[in-house]
Amino acid sequence: VQLYDIGFTGSTLDRADTIRRDPGLLADAVQDPTARLLLLDKYRPEVTGELRLAWTELSVATSPTSLVLLGLAEGQPRFASIPSGPAPPRSAALLAAMDGLQPGEAAIYAAARAVLDWHARNGHCGECGNATTPFRAGWGRLCPQCGTEHFPRVDPVVIMLVEKGQEILLCRQPAFEPGRYTALSGFVEPGESIEEAVAREVMEEVGISVGEVRYVGSQPWPFASSLMIACIARAAANAICLDADELEDAIWASRSTVRSVLAGRDGPFLAPSRGTIALSLLKAWAAR
Ligand SMILES: [Zn+2]
């Protein structure tokens, strides 16, 4: 199974690690007349008529220490400025705007949003509690008190289609819009492999034991800073025992039903939202 068109991937920026590690090169990048700043209203991106992210002059930024070097676009430095507070929850309007952008643009926004939000939420040292300051061009925070270096975290989440013969399992949470179903998912816990996390989550949420688990692909998901790890798991049985605290419903759907729904015809469920890896995974499974 091969995934295509995975949302929030395909950034064209060179992350320029050599500049992050060299204060002299960073100072040059800040002074570069071609340098640009990502235009954000808090965390809301401005979108141009060409369906690209909007950029502005770097001098708008409040202070060089509040800048994150997102990378280089054909050699030209691209920065974002750290906002004063954490990002709001994702909205349907933001996801729709991201889905409409030119290829690669949403990936640049995702990286910026995740690292800016990390700064806003991690102003103090986890070792000694002192206030920390950005370093490494905004890709870390340093504690001036105890010297501990802190780096942006990524939270791994497994997201899986459970397969039995020609059917797969889809589920819905109470907060979803009516009719919407998607793949099962859950955070990987400390001490677990991806395969073990898949097996545990499937057992917890629908009471089904799985055998073989295959990794298929992955997606950065910047709400707040997850890495979605898409898998297909083979079910050992098909009797569903629902965890009603987590899920409202779970159903088996045949390949022909999934194909029909993905083609836009009426069916027993609405497909996962655009831009999610669950949709990419479902499309890939249906096309097989
Ligand atoms: Zn400290």
Side-chain angles (χ1 to χ4, degrees):
V1 174
Q2 172 80 43
L3 301 187
Y4 298 98
D5 299 330
I6 301 174
F8 300 117
T9 64
S11 171
T12 52
L13 292 186
D14 169 359
R15 291 189 177 225
D17 187 57
T18 51
I19 300 178
R20 294 182 193 172
R21 291 166 179 276
D22 185 328
L25 289 177
L26 179 62
D28 290 346
V30 171
Q31 295 298 321
D32 189 324
T34 68
R36 292 291 180 271
L37 181 73
L38 183 63
L39 201 49
L40 296 174
D41 177 10
K42 304 286 185 190
Y43 288 83
R44 192 176 60 79
E46 300 285 335
V47 175
T48 71
E50 290 79 43
L51 298 174
R52 295 189 178 280
L53 297 170
W55 302 84
T56 186
E57 300 292 323
L58 191 57
S59 57
V60 172
T62 49
S63 134
T65 57
S66 72
L67 290 174
V68 175
L69 176 65
L70 299 176
L72 302 175
E74 294 174 347
Q76 301 176 351
R78 293 286 185 267
F79 291 92
S81 182
I82 301 170
S84 56
R90 71 174 182 269
S91 67
L94 176 64
L95 287 178
M98 290 295 105
D99 189 51
L101 292 178
Q102 296 287 339
E105 295 284 292
I108 295 171
Y109 174 73
R113 178 184 171 111
V115 74
L116 296 177
D117 184 54
W118 174 78
H119 280 288
R121 293 173 192 273
N122 291 273
H124 290 84
C125 178
E127 295 285 333
C128 74
N130 208 70
T132 56
T133 52
F135 83 130
R136 290 247 178 114
W139 288 89
R141 296 187 71 90
L142 184 63
C143 177
Q145 187 69 27
C146 72
T148 302
E149 298 176 344
H150 302 275
F151 297 99
R153 302 289 303 272
V154 173
D155 298 318
V157 175
V158 287
I159 181 161
M160 49 277 177
L161 288 179
V162 179
E163 180 182 49
K164 184 93 169 79
Q166 293 297 305
E167 292 187 315
I168 43 107
L169 190 72
L170 296 171
C171 68
R172 61 173 278 109
Q173 297 172 10
F176 290 2
E177 66 178 295
R180 181 80 69 195
Y181 281 73
T182 189
L184 290 166
S185 65
F187 285 101
V188 179
E189 294 189 347
E192 276 183 325
S193 69
I194 290 169
E195 293 81 357
E196 288 166 342
V198 168
R200 175 185 53 77
E201 283 287 341
V202 174
M203 178 54 74
E204 285 177 3
E205 295 190 3
V206 292
I208 291 173
S209 64
V210 298
E212 182 197 10
V213 174
R214 281 167 292 149
Y215 166 80
V216 179
S218 65
Q219 173 190 44
W221 187 248
F223 312 102
S225 187
S226 295
L227 178 67
M228 309 301 290
I229 303 166
C231 298
I232 293 180
R234 192 160 292 166
N238 56 10
I240 297 169
C241 178
L242 201 66
D243 175 3
D245 289 337
E246 295 274 338
L247 299 177
E248 184 179 274
D249 192 23
I251 56 171
W252 289 101
S254 71
R255 203 180 302 267
S256 60
T257 301
V258 171
R259 284 176 178 164
S260 175
V261 167
L262 291 175
R265 291 190 280 277
D266 284 341
F269 64 91
L270 297 177
S273 303
R274 292 171 62 89
T276 63
I277 199 170
L279 181 59
S280 304
L281 191 57
L282 197 60
K283 284 179 174 175
W285 180 82
R288 198 167 56 183

